mmCIF file of all heavy atoms in Angstrom:
data_model
loop_
_atom_site.group_PDB
_atom_site.id
_atom_site.type_symbol
_atom_site.label_atom_id
_atom_site.label_comp_id
_atom_site.label_asym_id
_atom_site.label_seq_id
_atom_site.Cartn_x
_atom_site.Cartn_y
_atom_site.Cartn_z
ATOM 1 N N PRO A 882 0.845 -1.200 0.000
ATOM 2 C CA PRO A 882 0.000 0.000 0.000
ATOM 3 C C PRO A 882 0.880 1.249 0.000
ATOM 4 O O PRO A 882 1.926 1.285 0.664
ATOM 5 C CB PRO A 882 -0.785 -0.133 1.318
ATOM 6 C CG PRO A 882 -0.810 -1.610 1.607
ATOM 7 C CD PRO A 882 0.509 -2.123 1.097
ATOM 8 N N ALA A 883 0.469 2.243 -0.761
ATOM 9 C CA ALA A 883 1.308 3.424 -0.984
ATOM 10 C C ALA A 883 1.736 4.100 0.312
ATOM 11 O O ALA A 883 2.903 4.511 0.463
ATOM 12 C CB ALA A 883 0.562 4.408 -1.876
ATOM 13 N N GLU A 884 0.836 4.223 1.272
ATOM 14 C CA GLU A 884 1.172 4.900 2.526
ATOM 15 C C GLU A 884 2.236 4.123 3.296
ATOM 16 O O GLU A 884 3.206 4.708 3.815
ATOM 17 C CB GLU A 884 -0.083 5.061 3.386
ATOM 18 C CG GLU A 884 0.176 5.806 4.686
ATOM 19 C CD GLU A 884 -1.097 5.988 5.518
ATOM 20 O OE1 GLU A 884 -2.192 5.671 5.017
ATOM 21 O OE2 GLU A 884 -0.967 6.446 6.666
ATOM 22 N N LEU A 885 2.085 2.804 3.335
ATOM 23 C CA LEU A 885 3.075 1.979 4.031
ATOM 24 C C LEU A 885 4.419 2.012 3.304
ATOM 25 O O LEU A 885 5.477 2.014 3.937
ATOM 26 C CB LEU A 885 2.576 0.534 4.145
ATOM 27 C CG LEU A 885 1.473 0.279 5.166
ATOM 28 C CD1 LEU A 885 1.070 -1.185 5.156
ATOM 29 C CD2 LEU A 885 1.923 0.681 6.561
ATOM 30 N N ARG A 886 4.361 2.039 1.973
ATOM 31 C CA ARG A 886 5.592 2.099 1.207
ATOM 32 C C ARG A 886 6.375 3.374 1.546
ATOM 33 O O ARG A 886 7.600 3.338 1.727
ATOM 34 C CB ARG A 886 5.275 2.065 -0.291
ATOM 35 C CG ARG A 886 6.489 2.076 -1.188
ATOM 36 C CD ARG A 886 7.126 0.713 -1.266
ATOM 37 N NE ARG A 886 8.547 0.767 -1.030
ATOM 38 C CZ ARG A 886 9.367 -0.267 -1.208
ATOM 39 N NH1 ARG A 886 8.883 -1.429 -1.615
ATOM 40 N NH2 ARG A 886 10.641 -0.164 -0.963
ATOM 41 N N ALA A 887 5.667 4.483 1.638
ATOM 42 C CA ALA A 887 6.322 5.751 1.964
ATOM 43 C C ALA A 887 6.913 5.705 3.363
ATOM 44 O O ALA A 887 8.024 6.216 3.605
ATOM 45 C CB ALA A 887 5.323 6.899 1.832
ATOM 46 N N GLN A 888 6.191 5.104 4.302
ATOM 47 C CA GLN A 888 6.697 4.990 5.669
ATOM 48 C C GLN A 888 7.958 4.128 5.713
ATOM 49 O O GLN A 888 8.925 4.456 6.419
ATOM 50 C CB GLN A 888 5.622 4.395 6.579
ATOM 51 C CG GLN A 888 4.417 5.289 6.800
ATOM 52 C CD GLN A 888 3.313 4.583 7.573
ATOM 53 O OE1 GLN A 888 3.490 3.475 8.095
ATOM 54 N NE2 GLN A 888 2.145 5.215 7.645
ATOM 55 N N TYR A 889 7.941 3.037 4.966
ATOM 56 C CA TYR A 889 9.101 2.154 4.966
ATOM 57 C C TYR A 889 10.308 2.838 4.320
ATOM 58 O O TYR A 889 11.430 2.755 4.842
ATOM 59 C CB TYR A 889 8.790 0.848 4.227
ATOM 60 C CG TYR A 889 9.992 -0.071 4.154
ATOM 61 C CD1 TYR A 889 10.440 -0.741 5.280
ATOM 62 C CD2 TYR A 889 10.721 -0.215 2.966
ATOM 63 C CE1 TYR A 889 11.568 -1.543 5.233
ATOM 64 C CE2 TYR A 889 11.844 -1.018 2.906
ATOM 65 C CZ TYR A 889 12.268 -1.683 4.049
ATOM 66 O OH TYR A 889 13.386 -2.460 4.000
ATOM 67 N N ASP A 890 10.084 3.505 3.205
ATOM 68 C CA ASP A 890 11.187 4.181 2.516
ATOM 69 C C ASP A 890 11.879 5.193 3.431
ATOM 70 O O ASP A 890 13.089 5.430 3.316
ATOM 71 C CB ASP A 890 10.680 4.884 1.260
ATOM 72 C CG ASP A 890 10.318 3.898 0.148
ATOM 73 O OD1 ASP A 890 10.665 2.709 0.270
ATOM 74 O OD2 ASP A 890 9.684 4.323 -0.838
ATOM 75 N N ALA A 891 11.115 5.768 4.350
ATOM 76 C CA ALA A 891 11.663 6.788 5.243
ATOM 77 C C ALA A 891 12.600 6.196 6.300
ATOM 78 O O ALA A 891 13.407 6.925 6.884
ATOM 79 C CB ALA A 891 10.527 7.546 5.923
ATOM 80 N N ILE A 892 12.521 4.891 6.548
ATOM 81 C CA ILE A 892 13.339 4.300 7.622
ATOM 82 C C ILE A 892 14.428 3.372 7.091
ATOM 83 O O ILE A 892 15.215 2.828 7.870
ATOM 84 C CB ILE A 892 12.464 3.524 8.624
ATOM 85 C CG1 ILE A 892 11.804 2.316 7.956
ATOM 86 C CG2 ILE A 892 11.419 4.440 9.257
ATOM 87 C CD1 ILE A 892 11.144 1.356 8.939
ATOM 88 N N ARG A 893 14.499 3.186 5.764
ATOM 89 C CA ARG A 893 15.481 2.251 5.207
ATOM 90 C C ARG A 893 16.910 2.687 5.541
ATOM 91 O O ARG A 893 17.223 3.870 5.572
ATOM 92 C CB ARG A 893 15.355 2.166 3.681
ATOM 93 C CG ARG A 893 14.103 1.510 3.178
ATOM 94 C CD ARG A 893 14.063 1.480 1.657
ATOM 95 N NE ARG A 893 15.134 0.643 1.104
ATOM 96 C CZ ARG A 893 16.166 1.106 0.414
ATOM 97 N NH1 ARG A 893 16.283 2.400 0.172
ATOM 98 N NH2 ARG A 893 17.082 0.264 -0.059
ATOM 99 N N THR A 894 17.767 1.691 5.768
ATOM 100 C CA THR A 894 19.192 1.950 5.937
ATOM 101 C C THR A 894 19.776 2.339 4.581
ATOM 102 O O THR A 894 19.412 1.749 3.562
ATOM 103 C CB THR A 894 19.892 0.690 6.479
ATOM 104 O OG1 THR A 894 19.252 0.283 7.686
ATOM 105 C CG2 THR A 894 21.357 0.961 6.757
ATOM 106 N N PRO A 895 20.693 3.296 4.527
ATOM 107 C CA PRO A 895 21.230 3.766 3.236
ATOM 108 C C PRO A 895 21.925 2.663 2.439
ATOM 109 O O PRO A 895 22.502 1.728 2.996
ATOM 110 C CB PRO A 895 22.223 4.854 3.649
ATOM 111 C CG PRO A 895 21.752 5.323 4.982
ATOM 112 C CD PRO A 895 21.179 4.115 5.651
ATOM 113 N N PHE A 896 21.891 2.828 1.124
ATOM 114 C CA PHE A 896 22.512 1.897 0.182
ATOM 115 C C PHE A 896 23.988 1.670 0.484
ATOM 116 O O PHE A 896 24.510 0.565 0.343
ATOM 117 C CB PHE A 896 22.332 2.443 -1.237
ATOM 118 C CG PHE A 896 22.984 1.631 -2.318
ATOM 119 C CD1 PHE A 896 22.383 0.486 -2.807
ATOM 120 C CD2 PHE A 896 24.199 2.031 -2.872
ATOM 121 C CE1 PHE A 896 22.975 -0.264 -3.822
ATOM 122 C CE2 PHE A 896 24.795 1.284 -3.886
ATOM 123 C CZ PHE A 896 24.180 0.142 -4.348
ATOM 124 N N ALA A 897 24.677 2.718 0.931
ATOM 125 C CA ALA A 897 26.107 2.606 1.192
ATOM 126 C C ALA A 897 26.424 1.547 2.238
ATOM 127 O O ALA A 897 27.503 0.958 2.232
ATOM 128 C CB ALA A 897 26.659 3.959 1.643
ATOM 129 N N GLU A 898 25.485 1.285 3.137
ATOM 130 C CA GLU A 898 25.692 0.264 4.166
ATOM 131 C C GLU A 898 25.229 -1.116 3.716
ATOM 132 O O GLU A 898 25.902 -2.124 3.959
ATOM 133 C CB GLU A 898 24.957 0.635 5.457
ATOM 134 C CG GLU A 898 25.106 -0.424 6.555
ATOM 135 C CD GLU A 898 24.311 -0.102 7.808
ATOM 136 O OE1 GLU A 898 24.071 1.095 8.078
ATOM 137 O OE2 GLU A 898 23.924 -1.054 8.526
ATOM 138 N N THR A 899 24.072 -1.171 3.046
ATOM 139 C CA THR A 899 23.456 -2.473 2.756
ATOM 140 C C THR A 899 23.737 -2.998 1.352
ATOM 141 O O THR A 899 23.613 -4.194 1.109
ATOM 142 C CB THR A 899 21.932 -2.386 2.920
ATOM 143 O OG1 THR A 899 21.408 -1.473 1.928
ATOM 144 C CG2 THR A 899 21.539 -1.914 4.314
ATOM 145 N N GLY A 900 24.076 -2.088 0.408
ATOM 146 C CA GLY A 900 24.179 -2.516 -0.983
ATOM 147 C C GLY A 900 22.842 -2.901 -1.575
ATOM 148 O O GLY A 900 22.780 -3.487 -2.659
ATOM 149 N N SER A 901 21.747 -2.569 -0.895
ATOM 150 C CA SER A 901 20.398 -2.879 -1.375
ATOM 151 C C SER A 901 19.778 -1.629 -1.984
ATOM 152 O O SER A 901 19.532 -0.651 -1.269
ATOM 153 C CB SER A 901 19.495 -3.355 -0.222
ATOM 154 O OG SER A 901 19.906 -4.575 0.296
ATOM 155 N N PRO A 902 19.502 -1.629 -3.281
ATOM 156 C CA PRO A 902 18.795 -0.488 -3.865
ATOM 157 C C PRO A 902 17.346 -0.482 -3.406
ATOM 158 O O PRO A 902 16.819 -1.501 -2.949
ATOM 159 C CB PRO A 902 18.892 -0.754 -5.369
ATOM 160 C CG PRO A 902 19.027 -2.242 -5.481
ATOM 161 C CD PRO A 902 19.790 -2.683 -4.264
ATOM 162 N N ASN A 903 16.729 0.652 -3.509
ATOM 163 C CA ASN A 903 15.309 0.772 -3.161
ATOM 164 C C ASN A 903 14.490 0.214 -4.323
ATOM 165 O O ASN A 903 14.311 0.862 -5.344
ATOM 166 C CB ASN A 903 14.954 2.237 -2.906
ATOM 167 C CG ASN A 903 13.561 2.389 -2.310
ATOM 168 O OD1 ASN A 903 12.816 1.420 -2.212
ATOM 169 N ND2 ASN A 903 13.226 3.596 -1.917
ATOM 170 N N LEU A 904 13.998 -1.004 -4.153
ATOM 171 C CA LEU A 904 13.344 -1.720 -5.242
ATOM 172 C C LEU A 904 11.830 -1.699 -5.084
ATOM 173 O O LEU A 904 11.306 -1.519 -3.981
ATOM 174 C CB LEU A 904 13.847 -3.165 -5.275
ATOM 175 C CG LEU A 904 15.351 -3.324 -5.546
ATOM 176 C CD1 LEU A 904 15.779 -4.778 -5.392
ATOM 177 C CD2 LEU A 904 15.708 -2.811 -6.926
ATOM 178 N N PRO A 905 11.112 -1.900 -6.187
ATOM 179 C CA PRO A 905 9.651 -1.856 -6.118
ATOM 180 C C PRO A 905 9.068 -3.083 -5.426
ATOM 181 O O PRO A 905 9.755 -4.076 -5.176
ATOM 182 C CB PRO A 905 9.235 -1.817 -7.594
ATOM 183 C CG PRO A 905 10.355 -2.489 -8.313
ATOM 184 C CD PRO A 905 11.598 -2.119 -7.556
ATOM 185 N N ALA A 906 7.773 -2.968 -5.133
ATOM 186 C CA ALA A 906 7.003 -4.065 -4.534
ATOM 187 C C ALA A 906 7.726 -4.590 -3.289
ATOM 188 O O ALA A 906 8.201 -3.810 -2.471
ATOM 189 C CB ALA A 906 6.754 -5.157 -5.570
#
C-alpha cells in the first residue's frame, strides 16, 4: 500500500551500508 511504502522508505538503511537499492514491490 502506498502509505506503508512511503513509511518504509523513510526508515530504510542507506545503500552505502546495505548494498540494497530501493526496489519496487
Side-chain angles (χ1 to χ4, degrees):
E884 182 179 352
L885 286 179
R886 182 79 230 189
Q888 293 173 9
Y889 178 72
D890 288 348
I892 65 169
R893 291 180 65 248
T894 304
F896 177 80
E898 178 183 333
T899 64
S901 294
N903 190 353
L904 298 173

